[in-house]
Amino acid sequence: MAFWAGGSPSVVDYFPSEDFYRCGYCKNESGSRSNDEPMDSTMDDAVAGDFALINKLDIQCDLKTLSDDIKESLESEGKNSKKEEPQELLQSQDFVGEKLGSGEPSHSVKVHTVPKPGKGADLSKPPCRKAKEIRKERKRLKLMQQNPAGELEGFQAQGHPPSLFPPKAKSNQPKSLEDLIFESLPENASHKLEVRLVPVSFEDPEFKSSFSQSFSLYVKYQVAIHQDPPDECGKTEFTRFLCSSPLEAETPPNGPDCGYGSFHQQYWLDGKIIAVGVIDILPNCVSSVYLYYDPDYSFLSLGVYSALREIAFTRQLHEKTSQLSYYYMGFYIHSCPKMKYKGQYRPSDLLCPETYVWVPIEQCLPSLENSKYCRFNQDPEAVDEDRSTEPDRLQVFHKRAIMPYGVYKKQQKDPSEEAAVLQYASLVGQKCSERMLLFRN
């Protein structure tokens, strides 16, 4: 089958939703849960036979899927070096028109709003200049009016260096993200920070040798930060949660040097692990899965640092593999402070829960202020372009055989079976239903 060219298909099992499920995010007792995580086709759903998934919600809280556009952040950073623009990392500076129905994260819109008191500079006004610079500029203009031909000599005669004419290039330009993250330290630095990218595999010697220290850090973090009981933070739970990945490692010739798969990005300070970022590296994106860190180092804002580090890392991978262009931060919950911080990284997009296209987060925030659930796509006529239209083409794996659902359903007599399969098809969409195998026993 053509859609499996270059790799084996993913096999998924679907479990219908469970009522009265307590949501781990909003703590709602009357939510519901589906153990299947439906696909967003803009993410990579197959890496050597396995997949990465995004929820299309069946749970009563305001989970939203968040993505950062790395290509846009690279473009905007160059524009940020202009004097009259705000010097912020990863802030989009323009809007490049494109249809929201493209299925990929769209470019962010630059929004000028009058800030509330204490909320920062007013971006609609020019930035303040030092009084010394203003005096020099006035003096230079006055000399030019008095003696246009000899203003250079006259100004130099008063003891000003020749380099002021023409004005020298500004040396106080904002540094790029890479300049800040990868700035080298002197040899005699008091501390040494090392970041190691380790494949999630017990066959990898580095992962195996650091497992005990990494696990101890995880327990310390869960107990202190999330108040989890120690008996719920055993090695079995840790391994199942963060060390058992469905992704198979793959190193194609046109991919990044580290290859694709699941990794632990370990932050070593003076020979000790103080944080671990769990990430998936896929053909089109880096997906941030989880971060745990030593609570004793909370003053370092390791969550912010690791996010910036992962963005810089994604941009590095993009230089080698151009199609790897997005950084996924997972769910965005507008009403949860622990998750709302993700909206500070720009340019970012949220996935519309009805049409499944990416919308700039600036356009979504006003709606989220009024309602936990809202449609982000403002086109009332827009629909999910990849909705299931031909469920009989859905691929089923049954008794070690692959067959279309149209063939499989003729062998079944249970009416609930058809309802479950059609619900699965409506969630994953037409493309993914033909690209993956739905396991039925």
Side-chain angles (χ1 to χ4, degrees), residues 23 39 58 79 105 113 123 139 159-160 168 179 195 198 237 243 265 269 335 350 371 380 420 425:
C23 174
M39 296 297 301
D58 187 27
K79 298 174 184 177
T113 58
L123 302 184
K139 193 167 188 177
H160 296 280
K168 63 180 179 180
D179 291 337
V195 181
V198 182
E237 290 78 11
C243 304
Q265 201 161 39
L269 182 63
S335 60
L350 293 175
S371 174

Short mmCIF file of all heavy atoms in Angstrom, two decimals, residues 23 39 58 79 105 113 123 139 159-160 168 179 195 198 237 243 265 269 335 350 371 380 420 425:
data_model
loop_
_atom_site.label_atom_id
_atom_site.label_comp_id
_atom_site.label_asym_id
_atom_site.label_seq_id
_atom_site.Cartn_x
_atom_site.Cartn_y
_atom_site.Cartn_z
N CYS A 23 -10.48 14.70 35.77
CA CYS A 23 -9.43 15.27 34.93
C CYS A 23 -8.22 15.65 35.78
O CYS A 23 -8.36 16.32 36.80
CB CYS A 23 -9.96 16.49 34.19
SG CYS A 23 -8.69 17.36 33.24
N MET A 39 -5.56 11.70 16.20
CA MET A 39 -4.44 12.28 15.49
C MET A 39 -4.71 13.69 15.03
O MET A 39 -5.82 14.05 14.70
CB MET A 39 -4.14 11.44 14.24
CG MET A 39 -3.70 10.03 14.52
SD MET A 39 -2.18 9.98 15.42
CE MET A 39 -1.12 10.84 14.29
N ASP A 58 -12.37 15.13 24.47
CA ASP A 58 -13.64 14.59 24.98
C ASP A 58 -13.61 14.72 26.50
O ASP A 58 -14.03 13.82 27.22
CB ASP A 58 -13.80 13.13 24.55
CG ASP A 58 -15.17 12.58 24.90
OD1 ASP A 58 -16.11 13.39 24.98
OD2 ASP A 58 -15.29 11.37 25.13
N LYS A 79 14.34 40.77 12.30
CA LYS A 79 13.65 42.05 12.31
C LYS A 79 13.67 42.69 13.68
O LYS A 79 13.54 43.90 13.81
CB LYS A 79 12.20 41.84 11.84
CG LYS A 79 12.14 41.31 10.42
CD LYS A 79 10.72 40.97 10.02
CE LYS A 79 10.69 40.34 8.63
NZ LYS A 79 9.34 39.94 8.23
N PRO A 105 0.75 25.49 11.21
CA PRO A 105 0.71 26.70 12.03
C PRO A 105 0.89 27.94 11.17
O PRO A 105 1.81 28.01 10.37
CB PRO A 105 1.87 26.51 13.01
CG PRO A 105 2.00 25.03 13.12
CD PRO A 105 1.68 24.49 11.75
N THR A 113 -1.17 47.03 21.45
CA THR A 113 -2.22 47.40 22.38
C THR A 113 -1.63 48.26 23.48
O THR A 113 -0.46 48.12 23.84
CB THR A 113 -2.87 46.16 23.02
OG1 THR A 113 -1.85 45.41 23.69
CG2 THR A 113 -3.54 45.29 21.98
N LEU A 123 4.10 49.73 23.10
CA LEU A 123 4.76 49.44 21.83
C LEU A 123 4.29 50.37 20.71
O LEU A 123 4.88 50.37 19.63
CB LEU A 123 4.50 47.98 21.45
CG LEU A 123 4.96 46.94 22.47
CD1 LEU A 123 4.74 45.54 21.92
CD2 LEU A 123 6.42 47.15 22.83
N LYS A 139 23.32 68.72 18.77
CA LYS A 139 24.55 69.46 18.49
C LYS A 139 25.02 69.23 17.06
O LYS A 139 25.47 70.14 16.36
CB LYS A 139 25.63 69.06 19.49
CG LYS A 139 26.83 69.99 19.49
CD LYS A 139 27.71 69.73 20.70
CE LYS A 139 28.81 70.77 20.81
NZ LYS A 139 29.65 70.57 22.02
N GLY A 159 36.88 67.86 20.21
CA GLY A 159 37.31 66.71 21.00
C GLY A 159 36.48 65.47 20.81
O GLY A 159 36.64 64.51 21.56
N HIS A 160 35.56 65.44 19.80
CA HIS A 160 34.75 64.26 19.57
C HIS A 160 35.46 63.33 18.60
O HIS A 160 36.07 63.80 17.63
CB HIS A 160 33.37 64.66 19.02
CG HIS A 160 32.58 65.47 20.01
ND1 HIS A 160 31.91 64.91 21.04
CD2 HIS A 160 32.40 66.83 20.11
CE1 HIS A 160 31.30 65.85 21.74
NE2 HIS A 160 31.60 67.03 21.21
N LYS A 168 28.57 55.29 13.99
CA LYS A 168 29.04 53.91 13.99
C LYS A 168 27.85 52.96 14.19
O LYS A 168 26.81 53.32 14.71
CB LYS A 168 30.06 53.69 15.10
CG LYS A 168 29.51 53.91 16.50
CD LYS A 168 30.60 53.68 17.54
CE LYS A 168 30.05 53.92 18.94
NZ LYS A 168 31.09 53.70 19.96
N ASP A 179 22.84 33.02 20.76
CA ASP A 179 23.92 33.74 21.44
C ASP A 179 23.78 33.64 22.96
O ASP A 179 24.76 33.50 23.69
CB ASP A 179 23.94 35.22 21.02
CG ASP A 179 24.37 35.40 19.58
OD1 ASP A 179 25.05 34.50 19.05
OD2 ASP A 179 24.01 36.42 18.97
N VAL A 195 24.77 19.90 28.75
CA VAL A 195 23.48 19.36 28.31
C VAL A 195 23.74 18.15 27.42
O VAL A 195 24.45 18.26 26.41
CB VAL A 195 22.65 20.41 27.56
CG1 VAL A 195 21.30 19.82 27.13
CG2 VAL A 195 22.42 21.63 28.43
N VAL A 198 20.24 12.13 25.33
CA VAL A 198 20.40 10.69 25.53
C VAL A 198 19.18 9.96 24.97
O VAL A 198 18.04 10.27 25.34
CB VAL A 198 20.55 10.36 27.03
CG1 VAL A 198 20.76 8.87 27.24
CG2 VAL A 198 21.72 11.15 27.63
N GLU A 237 6.34 2.96 37.53
CA GLU A 237 5.57 4.11 37.06
C GLU A 237 6.44 5.06 36.25
O GLU A 237 6.01 5.57 35.20
CB GLU A 237 4.97 4.86 38.25
CG GLU A 237 3.85 4.14 38.98
CD GLU A 237 4.33 3.04 39.91
OE1 GLU A 237 5.57 2.98 40.17
OE2 GLU A 237 3.51 2.25 40.39
N CYS A 243 9.90 6.45 30.09
CA CYS A 243 11.00 5.66 29.52
C CYS A 243 10.52 4.58 28.56
O CYS A 243 11.35 3.86 28.00
CB CYS A 243 11.83 5.01 30.63
SG CYS A 243 12.51 6.17 31.83
N GLN A 265 16.79 14.92 27.49
CA GLN A 265 17.80 15.98 27.43
C GLN A 265 18.19 16.30 28.87
O GLN A 265 17.45 16.96 29.60
CB GLN A 265 17.23 17.21 26.71
CG GLN A 265 18.31 18.13 26.17
CD GLN A 265 17.77 19.07 25.09
OE1 GLN A 265 16.64 19.56 25.20
NE2 GLN A 265 18.54 19.32 24.05
N LEU A 269 24.83 19.88 36.07
CA LEU A 269 25.50 21.03 36.68
C LEU A 269 26.55 20.50 37.66
O LEU A 269 26.21 19.83 38.64
CB LEU A 269 24.50 21.92 37.41
CG LEU A 269 25.07 23.19 38.07
CD1 LEU A 269 25.66 24.12 37.02
CD2 LEU A 269 24.01 23.91 38.89
N SER A 335 -6.86 28.70 31.83
CA SER A 335 -7.28 28.96 33.21
C SER A 335 -6.34 28.35 34.24
O SER A 335 -6.58 28.47 35.44
CB SER A 335 -8.69 28.42 33.43
OG SER A 335 -8.73 27.01 33.19
N LEU A 350 -2.61 27.91 18.28
CA LEU A 350 -3.46 26.92 18.94
C LEU A 350 -4.28 26.19 17.88
O LEU A 350 -4.66 26.78 16.85
CB LEU A 350 -4.39 27.58 19.95
CG LEU A 350 -3.72 28.20 21.18
CD1 LEU A 350 -4.75 28.92 22.05
CD2 LEU A 350 -3.01 27.14 22.01
N SER A 371 -14.78 32.03 27.56
CA SER A 371 -15.30 30.67 27.59
C SER A 371 -14.15 29.67 27.56
O SER A 371 -13.15 29.88 26.86
CB SER A 371 -16.21 30.44 26.38
OG SER A 371 -16.62 29.09 26.30
N PRO A 380 -17.25 30.87 9.64
CA PRO A 380 -18.38 30.01 10.04
C PRO A 380 -18.64 28.88 9.06
O PRO A 380 -19.29 27.88 9.42
CB PRO A 380 -19.56 30.98 10.11
CG PRO A 380 -19.18 32.10 9.19
CD PRO A 380 -17.69 32.23 9.29
N ALA A 420 -18.37 2.10 17.75
CA ALA A 420 -17.02 2.41 18.24
C ALA A 420 -16.08 2.72 17.09
O ALA A 420 -15.27 3.66 17.16
CB ALA A 420 -16.49 1.25 19.07
N ALA A 425 -13.14 6.70 13.68
CA ALA A 425 -12.91 7.31 12.37
C ALA A 425 -13.17 8.80 12.39
O ALA A 425 -12.43 9.59 11.78
CB ALA A 425 -13.78 6.63 11.32
#
